[in-house]
Amino acid sequence: MKIGAVLMFAMLGGQAGLAWANDEDAAALAHYPSAAQVQSDLLATAGDAEPDDIAGRQAGRLMMLHSALAHTASSSGNVSQASGPARELLDAYSRAYRSIDEKMQAYPDWRKKCGYLDNLFDTCRRQRFAREKNYFKVSPQAARETAQLYFPPSYQDRFVDLTGVGGSRQRFADYQSERHEAGRAGRGREFRKKLPIVLGGFSLIPLGIGIVLFALARKTGNSLARYEFHNTSAGGVVEFASFEASQAHERKRLLQRLLGNAGYLALAIGVLGLGLAAGVLIANSQ
């Protein structure tokens, strides 16, 4: 009984694999060009392009058509599950692409390393071939041109979408957007985790500065008090040897006040930073 059930599900799964993505895609099979037509069309519009460029365009367009058809000829994009006519066309695209690729690799200088002058004057055959192939394989502009050349207007947008990564430009764009949002959220979480440590670490700097400023203010105040203790008359007046000495004493007192006020400010900033760090830490733990 169990074996019969397994066989039944396997048969149903195989039939589902042979199904087209939708009726519109099934009808579009009639519009897919043959491999020979693809090569002929690009050769006819090549103008004075180099053979390497033409070969790259042919290879790229064959790959684009193969990818779009593979993603609609079966529910999983598996070529082996496609219907007979679709599989024959897919095989023809693959054979034509391999023929072009093998022909290009047969050139004696194909594997030669492209130097600076080759890149400067665009004389590297392998790079020119790859550039044209990639453009005609994946670019939206090439997809639109291919759609307009072979498919009815009602199917052109669908074909352009099929030429994206995974068989859909829109789904891939959505996937990339989701990854971006997830990455941004993850970076936000990591930042919030590190923020208490960062705030706490930076708060130690103004705290240290405040302590140093208070120490300097205290030292300056002690120096002033010592001078006034030893130079105060019986009438309670601080005596100085000269006018300049009295001015220097006042500047030293002003410096003491400045050091003290700056110390208070630095300590306040440090304490505020530690408070923020504690607040963020508590918020993260909830």
Side-chain angles (χ1 to χ4, degrees), residues 118-264:
D118 292 316
N119 294 325
L120 181 63
F121 294 103
D122 197 24
T123 58
C124 182
R125 309 186 72 161
R126 189 173 67 252
Q127 285 188 2
R128 287 208 312 268
F129 174 80
R131 182 181 63 235
E132 294 297 319
K133 182 184 73 173
N134 291 335
Y135 175 84
F136 275 79
K137 175 186 174 183
V138 300
S139 75
Q141 297 87 345
R144 180 62 61 185
E145 292 170 3
T146 304
Q148 293 173 349
L149 184 61
Y150 297 118
F151 298 96
S154 60
Y155 192 74
Q156 289 175 8
D157 289 340
R158 167 67 172 161
F159 177 81
V160 172
D161 182 63
L162 284 168
T163 58
V165 177
S168 174
R169 291 185 183 274
Q170 185 57 51
R171 283 201 304 270
F172 183 68
D174 293 342
Y175 167 71
Q176 291 289 78
S177 178
E178 290 171 3
R179 283 192 60 189
H180 177 72
E181 290 299 323
R184 185 165 63 179
R187 290 191 295 272
R189 288 192 296 270
E190 288 299 318
F191 176 75
R192 287 193 294 274
K193 287 180 182 178
K194 296 177 181 178
L195 187 57
I197 298 174
V198 174
L199 284 174
F202 277 111
S203 298
L204 295 177
I205 297 174
L207 282 175
I209 293 173
I211 292 171
V212 171
L213 290 175
F214 270 125
L216 291 174
R218 181 179 178 82
K219 183 178 179 180
T220 303
N222 288 339
S223 175
L224 291 170
R226 185 178 296 107
Y227 179 87
E228 291 174 359
F229 176 79
H230 291 293
N231 295 277
T232 301
S233 65
V237 178
V238 180
E239 297 177 342
F240 298 98
S242 64
F243 175 77
E244 287 75 14
S246 68
Q247 292 295 307
H249 189 82
E250 287 300 319
R251 287 195 296 271
K252 202 170 184 180
R253 186 178 299 282
L254 177 61
L255 176 62
Q256 180 200 14
R257 294 195 192 99
L258 290 175
L259 289 172
N261 291 335
Y264 277 120

